[in-house]
Structures are given as structure tokens and as C-alpha cells.
Amino acid sequence: MRRTLALAVLALALAPAGPASAHYCSNIFAAPARLVIKPEQTTVHISGTSTATLKVYLQNNFPFTLFGVRMQGTATGYTITVVPGTAGQTVHPGQQVLFTYSIKHNTGYTGDIQVSTLKLAVRFRVGSFRDETDKLVNQSPTQATLVSHTTSSFGGGVGEQVPALNAATLADKFATATLPASAPFFGRTGVQQLIKWFGYRFCYNTSGAWACGAQDCPSPCAEKTAWTSIEQFPQDCMRAGIELGIRKAKLGSQLDPARNAAVNAMKGGSADHRCLAAVVGGHLWKGATDTTAFETALNALPAACKAAGLRALGKGTAAACTSGTYVERAACAGAEGLAGKFEFVLADVTK
């Protein structure tokens, strides 16, 4: 005989009992959810006393690595084990991992074919537990909270890309709100601060410390010597560019400054940031009446990154993204994704 287990996927944090914050998850990988969980199928057929297998994929859309991530399943009358088990998995930003469920009915089967509709609870642990008030996952922050987290998390080698993400959310929720008038924020809006971090990162040192005292940069204080690090604060500067690209349609009068920032971002420093700037810049400059400044800046980049920038701009030809350095393949895949060639986004861009 055969039983059918219909899956109702519920995402819970593995933490002491308390309210479930299911808004962390969805089952659509393209969604902007922080954690995305998708079973391979919506029903599982279990014949007799056999054990059925279900593949469940989890994707980390947080901008930082998650450690010890694990999943569990519960369904009344069923024994469910998951591999990997309690050790969990390390899941990097944007990485998708597999959890394999083994499902068996507890009491065996007698009689005719039966169909049971049961809930399967999927649980996960994200390193140390973060509840819905945490600055990294709070869905309804106040203006004061966003300003505070943008500024207090800034500098000193702070990880987790908190500053750029908070500045971006500040721009979304409180578009006219400004950061403190003193250095290093100079009363900028969230969008203006993203532009500064992305395009003028050499106004800061690699730990995020401001390089120009009480003066703004690049005027009257010029950008300092380029650095090539891609550690914590430099990653935040890269994240700022991505957040600008996501918000292109909302930039309004800040679109031209964002475009100019992308051009400036390609002038020196790490290959990672420059190639990212090519792709983000291509997206920002697409539709501009004159793209000469952007295309000229592309000439200073490796050929693959230049091609990716042109592709994001709407020029050039499709690429398979299977050769070149990690940075070049990642830039290629990003540009192909922007061009709508999603099959190329799935190309191997691992180190």
C-alpha cells in the first residue's frame, strides 16, 4: 500500500520556545528573503514499510556566512532523519546547499491505499539565534534605529556588511532622512552614503576609518592611496554598490551621481571591487544618452570584466562564464543574469 505525505513547509529557528518568525524564509530562490527553503517536491509517496527520500534545498541570502546550519522534520506518525545531522553545514552568502530527509511511517501499513495530509516542519539554526528585533533581521526598524546602526556599525573593521544594508533600508523607508552632519557622514541620505562607500572607498582606509578629518572627500580632501583588501569594510563597500543597483529605478536625481561613482570605483584597488563596479555600473548606465565615460573606464579592466560591464550595459554577446579567474567568472555570471540569461548564472563560479 502507499501513503502520501503532503508537505507544508514551516521555517522556524532552532531556539528556545517562542514566537515563530516565518518571514525569514520563502520557497522561491529568486525572492529577496534572507533564507530560502525549497523542497524538491510537494508530496512524498511512501510504499509499505519502505523509507522515502526528500531533497530540501536551502539558500543563504544573508550577506554573511552562516555556521552550523541544520534542518529537522516533524510529522505525526513518521520518523524523519536528516543528513547532514546535528553538525550542520557552513553556508556562504548566496550558496545553496542540500539537506536529504529520510521519511518512514512508524506503524507499518495495512489495508487499502491511504492518503494522509500531514505537516512537515522544517527547522534551522543560524549560528547564534537572532530574534526579530536583531538589527540584521528586524523587518520594521525605526528611522532612529537605522541611522544608529548605519553610523555606530561603521568603521573599525566591522563585519556583516551592516552599514550598507542599514543605509539601503534607510533609503527605502525614510528617503529624505539624513545621517549626522559631522564627518564622516556630512548629512547624507542613505542613498548618498551608499554612493560614497561604493564609488569613493579610498576616502576611507581598509578598516573603514575616515581619511579626511573634518573635511568631506573627494572634495576638498582628495581620495587617498588605493588599497586592495577585500576584508570586512571593503566588502561593505562592495555591498553598497549592489544595493544601489537594486534600487536603480528609485534613485531619481541620485542616478547620475551613482553612475559617476561606478566609473570612479573602477579606477583602482581590488579586482573584486573593480569587476563588481563594471557589472553594477553597466546596469546603472544602461539607458543613459551618452555612455562614453563608463565605456572608457572599462578599458582599464581585464577583458572578461570589461565584457561583463558591456553585457550589463546591453551591449556585447552572451558568454558561458566557464573560464577565467573566480572574479571574472562571477562578473560574467552577474552580467548574464542581468541580461536575462539565467542559465549562465548557474555556471561554475566557485573558487
Side-chain angles (χ1 to χ4, degrees):
M1 85 178 287
R2 185 175 75 169
R3 295 195 177 210
T4 299
L5 175 61
L7 306 183
V9 179
L10 174 64
L12 301 174
L14 291 184
S21 298
H23 61 270
Y24 288 145
C25 306
S26 79
N27 65 348
I28 304 173
F29 286 126
R34 292 303 192 187
L35 283 175
V36 184
I37 297 171
K38 185 174 179 62
E40 189 176 48
Q41 59 202 63
T42 57
T43 58
V44 178
H45 302 295
I46 305 173
S47 299
T49 59
S50 64
T51 299
T53 298
L54 172 68
K55 293 182 178 180
V56 177
Y57 296 92
L58 180 147
Q59 181 166 301
N60 174 21
N61 285 343
F62 279 99
F64 46 84
T65 301
L66 305 177
F67 301 95
V69 179
R70 61 191 179 110
M71 300 182 71
Q72 294 180 348
T74 59
T76 303
Y78 291 83
T79 297
I80 302 173
T81 58
V82 183
V83 177
T86 56
Q89 300 192 64
T90 297
V91 190
H92 297 285
Q95 183 182 7
Q96 185 181 118
V97 295
L98 169 66
F99 290 87
T100 302
Y101 287 69
S102 296
I103 307 171
K104 185 176 182 179
H105 194 271
N106 290 340
T107 59
Y109 295 81
T110 59
D112 297 330
I113 294 176
Q114 299 181 33
V115 177
S116 298
T117 301
L118 302 172
K119 290 185 177 181
L120 173 64
V122 180
R123 302 184 178 188
F124 56 87
R125 179 172 60 85
V126 187
S128 59
F129 177 65
R130 300 183 186 278
D131 65 25
E132 61 187 12
T133 64
D134 189 281
K135 64 186 179 184
L136 299 181
V137 294
N138 184 4
Q139 301 297 296
S140 301
T142 65
Q143 176 177 320
T145 295
L146 289 169
V147 170
S148 174
H149 289 324
T150 300
T151 57
S152 63
S153 299
F154 164 81
V158 173
E160 299 176 330
Q161 300 173 29
V162 172
L165 290 169
N166 277 274
T169 305
L170 180 66
D172 289 341
K173 294 182 176 294
F174 308 100
T176 61
T178 56
L179 298 170
S182 57
F185 302 104
F186 297 96
R188 303 182 189 112
T189 64
V191 164
Q192 289 170 334
Q193 187 58 53
L194 290 174
I195 290 171
K196 186 68 66 169
W197 277 327
F198 173 53
Y200 305 94
R201 63 195 184 281
F202 301 130
C203 293
Y204 311 81
N205 63 30
T206 55
S207 68
W210 186 242
C212 290
Q215 291 183 314
D216 201 353
C217 170
S219 176
C221 177
E223 291 180 86
K224 302 300 181 181
T225 302
W227 33 263
T228 58
S229 168
I230 54 167
E231 296 306 315
Q232 293 172 340
F233 178 72
Q235 288 181 20
D236 195 75
C237 293
M238 294 172 69
R239 169 61 60 174
I242 294 172
E243 298 303 317
L244 286 171
I246 292 171
R247 291 162 178 78
K248 176 183 177 180
K250 301 178 181 179
L251 291 180
S253 63
Q254 294 302 309
L255 177 56
D256 281 341
R259 287 170 171 170
N260 293 334
V263 168
N264 197 63
M266 290 188 285
K267 291 182 178 180
S270 70
D272 304 65
H273 195 121
R274 296 172 72 202
C275 277
L276 173 71
V279 177
V280 172
H283 174 61
L284 292 173
W285 279 86
K286 188 174 182 178
T289 302
D290 183 359
T291 61
T292 302
F294 173 70
E295 294 188 58
T296 299
L298 285 176
N299 291 329
L301 301 185
C305 297
K306 176 181 178 180
L310 289 173
R311 182 72 166 146
L313 186 64
K315 300 184 178 182
T317 57
C321 305
T322 56
S323 62
T325 66
Y326 161 72
V327 172
E328 292 169 348
R329 284 178 284 144
C332 175
E336 292 302 329
L338 287 170
K341 301 296 183 181
F342 297 107
E343 65 270 23
F344 294 114
V345 177
L346 300 178
D348 178 14
V349 293
T350 58
K351 286 187 178 179

